[in-house]
Every structure is written in C-alpha cells, then in structure tokens.
Amino acid sequence: LFLLQRQLELELSSCLSLAKLWLEQGCGYEDLFELFSPHPKLLSDFAQWMVTQKGYKELAEKCAEYAFRKAPLDKEVIFNYGRILVERRKCEQAKEVLSRLFSDPGKREQALNIYGMCLVRSQRWQEAERIYLELISLKPNQVFYRSILAKIYLALGDDERAKAQLIWLTERAGKD
C-alpha cells in the first residue's frame, strides 16, 4: 500500500510539473484544463500551486473555477476554490462557494474561517466580527480566532474589547 501511494504521489507530481511546463511554453490553458477535466481534484491542486506563483493568480482562479464546475460537491475542490477567491479578495463569490459547506458540521468551522479571512483582508470589519464571534462560540479556546478578533476590534477602534481579547491571549500563553 505504501509503495502504491508513493507511486501515485510521483505520478501526481509529474502531472503538475508537466502542466507547469505547458503554461510556461505558452500553450493554451483551456486545452490544459480539458486534459485534466477527468481529474478535478488534480486540477484544483494545480490551481492552489498557481496562486502562489507570480503572474498566475488570475489563471489560478479560472483553473479552480473549472475544477469546481466539474466537481461542485467535492469538499477539497470547494475549499481550494474558496481559498483562491479569498486570495483574490472576492468575498461574495467565496461566500457563495463556501456556503455549500456551512451546513456541514464537520466543515462549517473551516469554511467560516476561510470566508472570515476574506472579510478581514478586505477590511470589512463588522462582518468579520460576526464570523469570528461565531467561530469563538464553536471553539472558545482557539487562540487564532481570538487574535483575529483582537485585530478586528483594534481596527474598529474598540480598545476595550481588543484589550479583553489580548488579556485572554496573554493569560492563555504557555498553558497549552
């Protein structure tokens, strides 16, 4: 099983390397997407790689959208597309895509956090506050959510509530 998994990883890595070379050679991305269409997860992974590369963010979004259209119920594909939309600060689209996971108890928290990060990056502070308050209600001891909430309160000019979060964080430091 281990050898089979390793072989699959090598094959996937080779596919991604060839896709990268395809684009670097100036070949059309539409043809590349069609070649990968039977494997939307692989296409989605390729989109995640592209978003980290200079000059590929717009194409990464197109690639992730294409994968999403091919596999609209695949949770990994949904998350990847949502993350790329966040990277591009397209919060309404991210919300629409990620909303497919808001009702899934096992995925709601992660989907809300991804959407919340879009709101923070877009400086939509009141909306972000609502999301992170909900996330804290789900996981009251989550340090990351508390630190984001402190940042939101500072941006809103609410020093008292920011201070309350910072006190919580400092009291929590070293306890984990």
Side-chain angles (χ1 to χ4, degrees):
L1 185 61
F2 173 77
L3 292 175
L4 184 60
Q5 182 180 8
R6 183 69 184 131
Q7 180 64 32
L8 181 60
E9 287 171 3
L10 288 171
E11 288 174 12
L12 292 177
S13 177
S14 294
C15 285
L16 292 176
S17 295
L18 289 171
K20 178 184 173 192
L21 183 61
W22 179 284
L23 292 175
E24 288 172 349
Q25 295 298 316
C27 299
Y29 71 87
E30 297 92 347
D31 293 335
L32 181 66
F33 292 178
E34 269 307 307
L35 287 171
F36 278 84
S37 66
H39 309 285
K41 283 185 183 183
L42 186 57
L43 196 56
S44 179
D45 289 342
F46 185 55
Q48 278 300 121
W49 170 83
M50 278 195 290
V51 81
T52 66
Q53 306 301 306
K54 187 175 181 160
Y56 283 98
K57 290 188 186 332
E58 186 177 334
L59 186 56
E61 182 182 338
K62 289 178 183 178
C63 183
E65 180 183 11
Y66 187 88
F68 176 71
R69 283 196 317 259
K70 292 292 182 183
L73 302 177
D74 185 291
K75 292 173 185 175
E76 183 181 330
V77 170
I78 293 169
F79 278 129
N80 282 346
Y81 187 29
R83 283 186 200 100
I84 288 170
L85 290 169
V86 167
E87 178 73 27
R88 310 256 306 137
R89 288 181 172 71
K90 295 186 174 184
C91 295
E92 295 314 308
Q93 280 182 268
K95 181 180 181 180
E96 185 179 323
V97 168
L98 293 167
S99 68
R100 295 167 183 252
L101 302 175
F102 289 163
S103 61
D104 181 334
K107 300 297 180 187
R108 179 175 178 74
E109 178 189 351
Q110 187 180 3
L112 282 172
N113 183 41
I114 293 169
Y115 175 58
M117 288 308 302
C118 192
L119 296 172
V120 168
R121 288 180 180 172
S122 300
Q123 299 181 354
R124 293 168 58 180
W125 304 117
Q126 276 116 2
E127 293 169 89
E129 176 190 19
R130 284 192 296 278
I131 295 295
Y132 281 95
L133 285 172
E134 181 175 346
L135 286 166
I136 287 172
S137 75
L138 295 172
K139 285 212 173 156
N141 295 324
Q142 176 55 262
V143 171
F144 177 74
Y145 300 157
R146 298 271 182 172
S147 64
I148 295 295
L149 195 56
K151 177 181 179 173
I152 291 167
Y153 288 144
L154 287 170
L156 288 170
D158 192 336
D159 296 344
E160 285 304 309
R161 291 199 295 174
K163 183 179 175 182
Q165 294 304 314
L166 292 170
I167 290 170
W168 185 93
L169 288 164
T170 57
E171 289 173 352
R172 185 81 176 156
K175 290 186 179 181
D176 289 330

